[in-house]
Amino acid sequence: MDRLSNTVRPYAWGSTTAIPALLGTAPTGEPQAEMWMGAHPGAPSRIARPNSTAPTAATTPAERPLTEVIAADPEGELGAATVARFGPRLPFLLKLLAAGSPLSLQVHPDLDQARKGYADEEARGIPIDAPHRTYKDANHKPELICALTPFDGLCGFRRPTEAADAMEALGVDSLKPYVDLLRAHPEEAALREVLTAILGADPAEMADTVAEAAAACERLGGAHAPYARIAHNYPGDPGVLAAMLLNYVQLQPGEALFLGAGVPHAYLDGLGVEIMANSDNVLRCGLTPKHIDVPELLRIVRFEATEPGVLRPEASPSGEERYETPVDEFALSRYTLASGAAPAGLTAPTPQILLCTAGTVRVGELDLTPGQSVYVPAAEAVEATGSGTLFRATVAAGTVRAV
């Protein structure tokens, strides 16, 4: 077991205070959007484990990237079953995510779409770092966000008639064609036609419409208030109108959202624990200055109205509260530990990352305070005690069972 040193990403939408408040550190004044825990090549966690191939030294070993440690012994670190299923890499990435302003509207491909899209762009010779590159890898990116504070977001399409009512209430004449489309067609066709029209319009020509819509949202407040906030951060962006097609969701601490392939979504505000398949494949559909590949996006998006399924953890006799999802790459669960209670047995045949979010938790010989985490190789014996909250991230394939 190894204590993790993790990188905080300073994306512009990040809160300046939420992650420092959890860690008990002073804010820097700069946004602190995401703290990454895992073996993503862009910002791998680091551990102070000696390199077995290096000469023995009396000094404390230097920190090494977790990617390097896993590459040196994939089966020893991940377990044979994980390597057989996902290859010699940790298949998930765990994050603390702190949104201080709305993220871009986005959607993720399924596994088949990702493989085909990546192969196509590779064959066409599009550089992996090109701004117009859509597929960075050949993997899908399902994800789960669990709220640590009240957390606002957008998730999936709402009923077209509901979106039509919301737009009509703004009293903006130039939105009337969208309102008519949303009421005149079957649901899937209505959503497709309106999103296509919004994303295909000239942004300069849309600027006045977006500005009028934003002013009306500000004036009306209530259910329109989230869209006024979005417009404040993205003035003139047609994505403000696209956002009105989606369900607005407010999570309370402990509640979660699972975001599968093809589901448009955006996080607006709050602090949460996020886990995802280890991929960088994101197709944006608004609220961003980055490239939007409209034809590919329209192929990936699932145009169906859905109720956002808010997840609550399912308790087990062991005290583990699990967030059930339909994917193999990851599983997230939570332990609420009480002082003097029996230790929670966490030994598993899969690799784990354990993150403390409240109180003080002792994992093995290591004490964790909020924001601190450890990496546990597959099959390593581990127990947790103390008084606090511990999140457990691991691989779901084959179901995690005690060893």
Side-chain angles (χ1 to χ4, degrees), residues 6-37:
N6 303 306
T7 298
V8 175
R9 311 306 295 262
Y11 304 133
W13 49 261
S15 167
T16 59
T17 58
I19 288 179
L22 183 72
L23 298 177
T25 59
T28 65
E30 298 297 319
Q32 299 187 36
E34 296 180 347
M35 185 172 78
W36 289 18
M37 292 159 278

Side-chain angles (χ1 to χ4, degrees), residues 241-281:
L241 303 180
M244 297 188 72
L245 301 176
L246 306 185
N247 294 297
Y248 172 60
V249 185
Q250 292 181 294
L251 299 178
Q252 296 306 309
E255 295 181 334
L257 281 175
F258 172 72
L259 298 156
V263 178
H265 61 277
Y267 302 144
L268 304 181
D269 183 72
L271 177 66
V273 174
E274 185 182 40
I275 189 167
M276 61 185 61
N278 211 342
S279 170
D280 289 324
N281 285 327

